[in-house]
Short mmCIF file of all heavy atoms in Angstrom, two decimals:
data_model
loop_
_atom_site.label_atom_id
_atom_site.label_comp_id
_atom_site.label_asym_id
_atom_site.label_seq_id
_atom_site.Cartn_x
_atom_site.Cartn_y
_atom_site.Cartn_z
N LEU A 52 147.00 92.86 163.86
CA LEU A 52 147.06 92.32 165.22
C LEU A 52 146.66 93.36 166.27
O LEU A 52 146.44 93.01 167.44
CB LEU A 52 148.49 91.82 165.53
CG LEU A 52 148.93 90.61 164.69
CD1 LEU A 52 150.41 90.34 164.90
CD2 LEU A 52 148.12 89.39 165.07
N LEU A 60 158.31 96.39 172.44
CA LEU A 60 159.20 95.34 171.93
C LEU A 60 160.49 95.93 171.35
O LEU A 60 161.29 95.21 170.77
CB LEU A 60 158.48 94.55 170.83
CG LEU A 60 157.25 93.76 171.28
CD1 LEU A 60 156.44 93.30 170.08
CD2 LEU A 60 157.67 92.56 172.11
N VAL A 93 167.30 90.46 140.44
CA VAL A 93 168.56 90.85 139.80
C VAL A 93 168.52 92.35 139.49
O VAL A 93 167.45 92.93 139.32
CB VAL A 93 168.82 90.01 138.51
CG1 VAL A 93 168.04 90.53 137.31
CG2 VAL A 93 170.30 89.95 138.17
N ALA A 119 166.44 103.00 136.75
CA ALA A 119 167.00 104.05 137.60
C ALA A 119 168.37 104.47 137.08
O ALA A 119 169.03 103.72 136.36
CB ALA A 119 167.13 103.55 139.03
N LEU A 123 171.32 101.83 145.04
CA LEU A 123 171.93 101.76 146.37
C LEU A 123 171.47 100.46 147.03
O LEU A 123 170.26 100.25 147.22
CB LEU A 123 171.48 102.98 147.18
CG LEU A 123 172.29 103.36 148.39
CD1 LEU A 123 172.13 104.85 148.68
CD2 LEU A 123 171.94 102.56 149.61
N GLY A 156 154.68 88.88 164.99
CA GLY A 156 153.44 88.13 165.11
C GLY A 156 152.87 88.15 166.52
O GLY A 156 151.82 87.54 166.77
N ARG A 229 169.42 81.23 183.57
CA ARG A 229 170.75 80.65 183.81
C ARG A 229 171.61 80.89 182.57
O ARG A 229 171.20 80.56 181.45
CB ARG A 229 170.58 79.15 184.06
CG ARG A 229 171.84 78.42 184.39
CD ARG A 229 171.54 77.02 184.85
NE ARG A 229 170.34 76.43 184.23
CZ ARG A 229 170.15 75.12 184.07
NH1 ARG A 229 171.08 74.27 184.45
NH2 ARG A 229 169.06 74.65 183.52
N THR A 230 172.79 81.48 182.76
CA THR A 230 173.66 81.76 181.61
C THR A 230 174.87 80.84 181.67
O THR A 230 175.62 80.85 182.65
CB THR A 230 174.09 83.24 181.62
OG1 THR A 230 172.90 84.03 181.62
CG2 THR A 230 174.90 83.58 180.39
N LEU A 245 160.83 68.74 169.68
CA LEU A 245 161.89 68.95 170.67
C LEU A 245 161.38 68.73 172.10
O LEU A 245 160.32 69.24 172.47
CB LEU A 245 162.41 70.39 170.53
CG LEU A 245 163.54 70.79 171.46
CD1 LEU A 245 164.84 70.10 171.06
CD2 LEU A 245 163.74 72.31 171.44
N ASP A 256 190.48 75.08 173.81
CA ASP A 256 190.64 74.92 172.36
C ASP A 256 189.31 74.88 171.62
O ASP A 256 189.29 74.68 170.39
CB ASP A 256 191.39 73.62 172.04
CG ASP A 256 192.82 73.68 172.56
OD1 ASP A 256 193.37 74.80 172.60
OD2 ASP A 256 193.35 72.61 172.94
N MET A 278 175.96 86.29 162.00
CA MET A 278 175.24 86.82 160.85
C MET A 278 176.14 86.87 159.62
O MET A 278 177.37 86.98 159.76
CB MET A 278 174.79 88.26 161.14
CG MET A 278 173.97 88.41 162.39
SD MET A 278 172.24 88.35 162.00
CE MET A 278 172.12 89.79 161.02
N CYS A 290 180.27 93.74 141.70
CA CYS A 290 180.94 94.52 142.75
C CYS A 290 181.99 93.66 143.46
O CYS A 290 181.76 92.48 143.73
CB CYS A 290 179.94 95.00 143.80
SG CYS A 290 178.61 96.01 143.15
N ASP A 300 183.95 102.41 149.39
CA ASP A 300 184.93 103.43 149.75
C ASP A 300 184.34 104.35 150.84
O ASP A 300 183.27 104.06 151.39
CB ASP A 300 185.37 104.21 148.50
CG ASP A 300 184.25 105.04 147.88
OD1 ASP A 300 183.16 105.13 148.49
OD2 ASP A 300 184.46 105.58 146.78
N LEU A 324 175.20 101.57 162.95
CA LEU A 324 176.19 101.66 161.86
C LEU A 324 175.46 101.71 160.51
O LEU A 324 175.84 102.47 159.61
CB LEU A 324 177.15 100.47 161.93
CG LEU A 324 178.22 100.39 160.84
CD1 LEU A 324 179.06 101.66 160.78
CD2 LEU A 324 179.12 99.17 161.04
N ALA A 336 175.32 109.78 146.95
CA ALA A 336 174.61 109.47 145.70
C ALA A 336 173.94 110.74 145.16
O ALA A 336 173.99 111.00 143.95
CB ALA A 336 173.58 108.36 145.93
N ALA A 347 182.67 115.86 152.14
CA ALA A 347 182.62 114.89 153.25
C ALA A 347 182.50 115.55 154.61
O ALA A 347 182.08 114.91 155.57
CB ALA A 347 183.86 113.99 153.20
N CYS A 390 167.53 71.53 152.28
CA CYS A 390 166.76 71.57 151.03
C CYS A 390 166.92 70.25 150.26
O CYS A 390 165.96 69.72 149.73
CB CYS A 390 167.24 72.72 150.14
SG CYS A 390 167.15 74.35 150.88
#
Side-chain angles (χ1 to χ4, degrees):
L52 294 171
L60 296 166
V93 80
L123 199 154
R229 183 170 31 154
T230 303
L245 181 71
D256 294 330
M278 304 266 295
C290 302
D300 67 7
L324 178 56
C390 302

